[in-house]
Amino acid sequence: MKRKLTNIMVTGGAGFIGCNFIHFMFSNESGFNGKIINVDSLTYAGNLESLASIEDKFGNACMTQNRRYYFENVDICNRDSIEKILKKYEIDTIVHFAAESHVDRSILGPETFIKTNVMGTFNLLDCARNYWKNNDGSIRNDVLFHHISTDEVYGSLEETGYFTETTPYDPRSPYSSSKASSDHLAMAYFHTYNLPVTLSNCSNNYGPYQFPEKLLPLMIMNIREGKNLPVYGDGKNIRDWLYVEDHNRAVWLIMKDGKKGEKYNIGGENEWENIKLLHKLIEITCKEISLNINDVKQTIQFVKDRPGHDRRYAIDCSKIKKELGWKRKVTFEEGLEKTVKWYLSNEKWINNILSGEYSKWIENNYGDRK
Ligand code: NAD
Ligand code: DAU
């Protein structure tokens, strides 16, 4: 039976990848013409300002019959509220981005990572299992739960080798352990209850709307402001970078054509040592705002390493390429330039984050609906 993919609950839609997913789904490219219900509890990382244009075009202002975008300010751990949303919007698809996502924060305070990433995922899976039950106790097969995960569940690589879908899990940080746990729960719900689940493990995303605690936006902002550029350890850790739109294109493809019970790796085939990536970023940023490259390079500061810092991630994404015909569209040069330009020309978005003003956005724009 074909998947409905009509009323889609996007969890974490106010975060970096989730908001880009919603923009992608409402673009002509996706071909999607259903509804999106964004469920997000607006933690420090959630920013509805990133979706202002979507809200204007498809949200509250539309006539009821034309409306295609809804926002629910709800914690994924709240069973009652999630059950209500599933019923209210007749949800047939869940794509689950919501998470605590920053490794450094997980080292400082792991508890919320366990709550949201483990308990929250469990809650969503269990609510979906109940809501999607047929009268005979079996589960509908026109529905889908797509779980978003990370390459960090596989651990750390030495100089050679790649993570494949069969690489054993070996998470090292509280963040990656909580994600690994959520992956196992998602797969357990497929095997035990036959819940239609697909799963994807992706490498480092970059692009617009990323919270400026992550490497690339943090460095772009620090360059702009003449601040030091903190590089952890020797700067030789390697990450595999993927433009966020290419990731979301892959996610939508899996949701449409991926086999239930299967997991897919998504990567950029684009490995960079942190320090080399920073040099490249400095070149592009300096060109954009006419700064002296050598002066800016002097602000690089090698700082104490992240505890348990994974050395290298590299994804083998041949499965999704071969089975679903996905390939990345945006070259790294293009993507990096687009990203730098975006942060430099969206000062208001950034300044609102720096000043904390962004958290008032919901008050200012949704206050009348309370
Ligand atoms: P993010 O931190 O930018 O956004 C997370 C969103 O989830 C925020 O809007 C936040 O408000 C929301 N949220 C957090 N806790 C919640 C809760 N209890 N209930 C409801 N909403 C809650 O994260 P991101 O970078 O967009 O990552 C999205 C997903 O992709 C995560 O599952 C992450 O593990 C995964 N992932 C991220 C990357 C990356 O490079 N950023 C790479 C691979 C996988
Ligand atoms: O691999 C996918 C993962 O990528 C996702 O699952 C995570 O949600 C996402 O946060 C990201 O994790 P990383 O730890 O790789 O991303 P981060 O931007 O924090 O760091 C990237 C690399 O840069 C990492 O090796 C640490 C280093 N770093 C980071 C910061 C913030 C620095 O050297 N200095 C910094 O200030």
Side-chain angles (χ1 to χ4, degrees):
M1 190 188 275
K2 256 184 89 70
R3 287 176 190 148
K4 284 187 91 159
L5 302 169
T6 308
N7 298 334
I8 303 185
M9 178 197 282
V10 176
T11 71
F16 163 50
I17 307 181
C19 81
N20 276 290
F21 180 78
I22 295 175
H23 280 283
F24 171 75
M25 291 299 278
F26 283 115
S27 73
N28 290 335
E29 191 188 337
S30 75
F32 171 70
N33 49 29
K35 290 180 182 155
I36 284 190
I37 296 81
N38 175 11
V39 175
D40 196 301
S41 63
L42 300 180
T43 66
Y44 79 94
N47 186 353
L48 284 179
E49 206 179 333
S50 310
L51 290 163
S53 62
I54 299 289
E55 178 69 61
D56 284 350
K57 225 164 146 198
F58 303 100
N60 205 12
C62 297
M63 302 284 283
T64 316
Q65 70 273 22
N66 297 334
R67 186 164 177 192
R68 294 179 57 207
Y69 171 75
Y70 300 80
F71 171 67
E72 294 281 353
N73 185 353
V74 157
D75 188 323
I76 56 164
C77 299
N78 184 328
R79 183 156 194 128
D80 221 36
S81 302
I82 296 294
E83 280 176 348
K84 281 191 186 129
I85 292 170
L86 290 170
K87 278 197 199 121
K88 177 174 169 193
Y89 297 99
E90 300 180 359
I91 299 291
D92 51 56
T93 308
I94 298 173
V95 51
H96 175 34
F97 292 95
E100 286 294 336
S101 70
H102 194 45
V103 176
D104 293 325
R105 283 179 191 259
S106 83
I107 295 165
L108 289 172
E111 197 176 336
T112 53
F113 286 72
I114 305 306
K115 278 193 187 137
T116 289
N117 301 0
V118 184
M119 294 305 293
T121 303
F122 157 72
N123 188 46
L124 286 171
L125 287 163
D126 210 53
C127 290
R129 170 172 85 95
N130 267 337
Y131 177 64
W132 288 335
K133 230 179 232 168
N134 292 312
N135 289 338
D136 65 1
S138 63
I139 295 198
R140 282 168 56 182
N141 53 18
D142 59 350
V143 294
L144 181 72
F145 189 111
H146 181 71
H147 179 59
I148 303 288
S149 191
T150 169
D151 56 0
E152 299 200 10
V153 297
Y154 298 122
S156 182
L157 291 165
E158 299 297 331
E159 275 166 30
T160 56
Y162 295 91
F163 298 134
T164 72
E165 285 81 358
T166 55
T167 300
Y169 277 28
D170 184 20
R172 313 293 182 92
S173 71
Y175 163 69
S176 53
S177 309
S178 68
K179 290 299 288 185
S181 175
S182 66
D183 291 13
H184 291 317
L185 281 168
M187 279 309 171
Y189 268 67
F190 166 70
H191 289 292
T192 310
Y193 304 112
N194 208 14
L195 187 77
V197 167
T198 47
L199 198 163
S200 50
N201 298 84
C202 188
S203 63
N204 285 61
N205 282 222
Y206 69 100
Y209 305 113
Q210 187 168 31
F211 196 84
E213 63 189 349
K214 306 287 191 319
L215 182 72
L216 289 182
L218 177 81
M219 294 298 178
I220 298 169
M221 282 175 36
N222 284 7
I223 295 171
R224 191 190 71 161
E225 286 164 25
K227 289 190 180 158
N228 280 347
L229 309 175
V231 173
Y232 298 165
D234 63 3
K236 293 197 170 155
N237 299 66
I238 292 176
R239 297 292 181 265
D240 170 5
W241 295 90
L242 178 67
Y243 195 62
V244 63
E245 206 174 273
D246 278 331
H247 177 200
N248 284 327
R249 206 172 272 122
V251 168
W252 183 223
L253 200 57
I254 297 168
M255 289 167 69
K256 287 189 292 188
D257 300 334
K259 269 171 65 183
K260 67 178 179 178
E262 291 282 320
K263 74 202 295 283
Y264 298 86
N265 280 353
I266 312 168
E269 297 177 314
N270 180 37
E271 291 178 51
W272 283 81
E273 260 182 16
N274 290 339
I275 188 68
K276 289 195 179 139
L277 175 59
L278 182 55
H279 284 164
K280 178 107 189 135
L281 191 73
I282 290 173
E283 277 168 33
I284 298 178
T285 312
C286 286
K287 207 170 111 201
E288 284 300 318
I289 47 178
S290 307
L291 292 174
N292 181 292
I293 294 178
N294 289 327
D295 288 350
V296 174
K297 281 189 180 165
Q298 296 302 315
T299 63
I300 293 176
Q301 190 183 27
F302 288 91
V303 297
K304 196 159 161 254
D305 208 357
R306 172 187 280 174
H309 195 177
D310 289 337
R311 193 64 174 167
R312 173 171 168 257
Y313 302 143
I315 282 260
D316 174 344
C317 54
S318 48
K319 176 173 172 179
I320 189 169
K321 286 164 94 181
K322 214 163 89 203
E323 292 185 12
L324 303 183
W326 173 82
K327 65 173 194 281
R328 100 179 170 175
K329 279 193 179 169
V330 181
T331 66
F332 192 51
E333 283 65 29
E334 237 182 286
L336 206 53
E337 208 174 298
K338 275 202 304 200
T339 304
V340 169
K341 284 190 170 143
W342 191 89
Y343 286 97
L344 294 177
S345 58
N346 282 276
E347 266 189 64
K348 187 166 159 269
W349 187 88
I350 287 166
N351 291 338
N352 280 351
I353 286 184
L354 293 180
S355 66
E357 193 63 25
Y358 76 108
S359 58
K360 292 194 194 128
W361 203 90
I362 187 158
E363 273 302 310
N364 298 338
N365 291 274
Y366 285 85
D368 57 334
R369 288 166 58 196
K370 280 210 168 138

